[in-house]
């Protein structure tokens, strides 16, 4: 039923898109029709696939590194009240700085390759993962923690066997947010400076007035984000099941 709903939503979106093109009479170099975009995607399928692979690699590596760093930070904050008091306000304050504004600096530091894009993706998803996982760690059952400490369990054993398993659903929530944000970071980095990737292809197509190819790149990016979101959603569900059935 869910797949059928997705299909109907897709068909409705295409119908609305075509209706807007017909009603407004916009020229194809401003708003191409779905059919023209589909033709551009098929004719440029090799170029789209090559650039989509680069963006997917940047997103995947950024998601892995950002999740590891965020999870480790959350565990450190939950284990040390001193670290929590000192670092948590700093983490919150850093969110007042637009991460997108750092893209030119990251490109200057890490170059025009995939390194700067991976770092950009890491910076965007780091805080959601850290915040969600830390919240789950601090909200785990106090009763079990006190019982374990009474029986002589160390702080690390309490974290490993009680807090982390109970916080896995919260980590899954953070991962689902990260799956949506990570492609944004990679593409922003490609817009600032790159020679490959879907963001680079969008700028190239726009500069050459190939708006149909630009739309095709945008749709491929959206499909990549949706696939990543569903994959991470399944992982989050497994984490939830593990926490419920352990």
């Amino acid at each position: 039923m869910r797949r059928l709903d997705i299909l109907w939503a897709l068909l409705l979106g295409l119908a609305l898109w075509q209706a807007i093109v017909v009603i407004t009479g916009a020229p194809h170099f401003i708003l191409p029709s779905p059919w023209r975009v589909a033709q551009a995607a098929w004719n440029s399928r090799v170029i789209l696939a090559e650039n989509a692979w680069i963006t997917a690699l940047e997103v995947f590596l950024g998601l892995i590194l950002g999740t590891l760093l965020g999870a480790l930070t959350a565990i450190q904050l939950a284990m040390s009240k001193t670290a929590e008091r000192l670092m948590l306000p700093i983490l919150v304050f850093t969110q007042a700085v637009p991460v997108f504004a750092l893209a030119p600096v990251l490109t200057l530091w890490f170059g025009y390759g995939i390194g700067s894009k991976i770092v950009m993706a890491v910076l965007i998803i780091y805080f959601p993962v850290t915040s969600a996982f830390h919240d789950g760690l601090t909200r785990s059952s106090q009763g079990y923690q006190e019982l374990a400490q009474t029986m002589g369990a160390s702080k690390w054993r309490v974290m490993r066997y009680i807090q982390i398993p109970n916080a896995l659903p919260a980590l899954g929530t953070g991962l689902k947010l990260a799956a949506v944000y990570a492609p944004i970071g990679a593409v922003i980095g490609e817009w600032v400076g790159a020679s490959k990737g879907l963001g680079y292809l969008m700028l190239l197509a726009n500069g050459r007035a190939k708006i149909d190819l630009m739309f095709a790149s945008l749709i491929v990016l959206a499909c990549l984000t949706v696939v990543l979101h569903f994959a991470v959603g399944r992982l989050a569900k497994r984490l939830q099941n593990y926490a419920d059935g352990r």
Side-chain angles (χ1 to χ4, degrees), residues 94-115:
T94 58
Q95 297 309 295
V97 179
V99 181
F100 304 137
L102 298 177
V105 179
L106 295 178
T107 302
L108 179 64
W109 287 350
F110 297 97
Y112 286 87
I114 67 172

Side-chain angles (χ1 to χ4, degrees), residues 1 12 14 21 23 28 39 58 61-62 66 76 81 83 111 150 164 174 179 192 199 202 216 220-221 233 237 244:
M1 185 65 180
L12 178 61
L14 291 175
V21 172
I23 293 173
H28 65 83
Q39 285 182 314
E58 295 166 354
L61 294 177
Q76 179 61 37
K81 293 297 182 183
T150 302
I164 290 179
V192 173
M202 289 179 200
V220 171
L221 177 64
K237 189 174 182 180
D244 293 341

Side-chain angles (χ1 to χ4, degrees), residues 135-163:
D135 186 64
L137 291 172
T138 54
R139 291 177 180 271
S140 59
S141 175
Q142 292 294 326
Y144 285 121
Q145 293 185 50
E146 293 174 358
L147 178 61
Q149 291 171 353
T150 302
M151 297 177 66
S154 64
K155 183 179 293 187
W156 168 244
R157 291 179 70 86
V158 172
M159 173 65 66
R160 178 180 177 184
Y161 293 105
I162 297 177
Q163 290 179 270

Side-chain angles (χ1 to χ4, degrees), residues 53-132:
W53 163 250
I54 297 298
T55 300
L57 182 62
E58 295 166 354
V59 171
F60 179 75
L61 294 177
L63 187 62
I64 295 297
L65 293 176
T67 299
L68 289 176
L69 290 175
L72 291 175
T73 303
I75 292 173
Q76 179 61 37
L77 294 178
M79 291 188 66
S80 173
K81 293 297 182 183
T82 302
E84 186 178 42
R85 289 196 302 268
L86 294 177
M87 294 181 60
L88 196 58
I90 296 176
L91 290 176
V92 174
F93 177 77
T94 58
Q95 297 309 295
V97 179
V99 181
F100 304 137
L102 298 177
V105 179
L106 295 178
T107 302
L108 179 64
W109 287 350
F110 297 97
Y112 286 87
I114 67 172
S116 58
K117 289 69 181 175
I118 293 174
V119 174
M120 188 70 182
V122 169
L123 289 178
I124 284 185
I125 69 177
Y126 172 74
F127 183 78
V129 172
T130 303
S131 179

Side-chain angles (χ1 to χ4, degrees), residues 17 28 32-49 51 198 201 205 209-220:
W17 182 359
H28 65 83
S33 65
W35 175 248
R36 183 177 289 273
V37 172
Q39 285 182 314
W42 175 255
N43 294 333
S44 304
R45 59 189 181 277
V46 175
I47 297 176
L48 282 170
N51 287 277
L198 290 175
L201 188 58
K210 295 183 178 181
I211 308 303
D212 47 2
L213 180 58
M214 187 184 73
F215 270 79
S217 303
L218 182 61
I219 291 174
V220 171

